[in-house]
Amino acid sequence: MSDSNYPSDTEVVKDKPSGIKIKGEAKRQRESIKKEQHLLKTAVQSFLESKQNITIYQKRRQTILEQKILPHIRKEFEMIHMLDQDKTTNIHKKKAYLRTIFQNKNDAIAFYKKHLHHI
């Protein structure tokens, strides 16, 4: 047998592909990209739903504040003002009244500063 029938080592190496191909790698990459996109879509959807819930709760909070809480507190503040016209004692009595309504003193002070400071 002669060696001329067989290809040389360099010819054998040239016939083989130089890059390593792994079966199914492209499919796994597509699936991982699809999975990431799905996770992103669900995250965006939950973000939008929570945003809607926040606006609903903010509206509910605002209506309760305007329709129930503030009118009652304004009446009480008018009564305090009728009993004593002095500005400094009025402020102290108003804050003391708010402390009886709220469980936490800091919440009462914050509520007064945010909603009732102008009254």
Side-chain angles (χ1 to χ4, degrees):
M1 292 199 162
S2 71
D3 289 329
S4 63
N5 292 338
Y6 297 109
S8 67
D9 291 339
T10 56
E11 291 173 354
V12 170
V13 172
K14 286 181 183 176
D15 290 342
K16 297 208 179 214
S18 59
I20 300 173
K21 292 183 181 178
I22 301 172
K23 268 191 163 179
E25 182 64 27
K27 184 178 180 181
R28 278 183 246 141
Q29 284 182 348
R30 277 185 283 158
E31 288 175 358
S32 68
I33 290 171
K34 273 185 173 180
K35 187 176 182 181
E36 289 175 9
Q37 287 177 347
H38 178 71
L39 292 174
L40 180 65
K41 285 180 182 180
T42 56
V44 168
Q45 184 180 7
S46 65
F47 171 76
L48 294 175
E49 287 173 359
S50 65
K51 185 178 175 184
Q52 288 174 342
N53 288 341
I54 289 172
T55 56
I56 289 169
Y57 288 125
Q58 284 177 339
K59 287 177 183 177
R60 184 184 302 165
R61 181 179 178 200
Q62 190 67 27
T63 56
I64 289 172
L65 179 70
E66 290 175 355
Q67 293 177 358
K68 294 181 181 179
I69 298 172
L70 288 180
H72 180 74
I73 291 177
R74 282 188 184 125
K75 287 179 186 176
E76 292 295 325
F77 282 6
E78 288 174 7
M79 293 297 294
I80 291 171
H81 182 70
M82 283 188 226
L83 294 174
D84 191 6
Q85 302 275 327
D86 187 28
K87 188 174 183 178
T88 56
T89 56
N90 262 345
I91 292 172
H92 292 295
K93 288 181 181 180
K94 288 176 182 179
K95 287 183 180 179
Y97 172 73
L98 285 177
R99 279 188 225 122
T100 61
I101 296 173
F102 288 92
Q103 294 177 355
N104 190 354
K105 177 183 175 182
N106 295 332
D107 291 339
I109 292 170
F111 184 81
Y112 178 80
K113 286 183 179 179
K114 186 172 182 179
H115 299 287
L116 303 170
H117 191 65
H118 62 281
I119 297 177

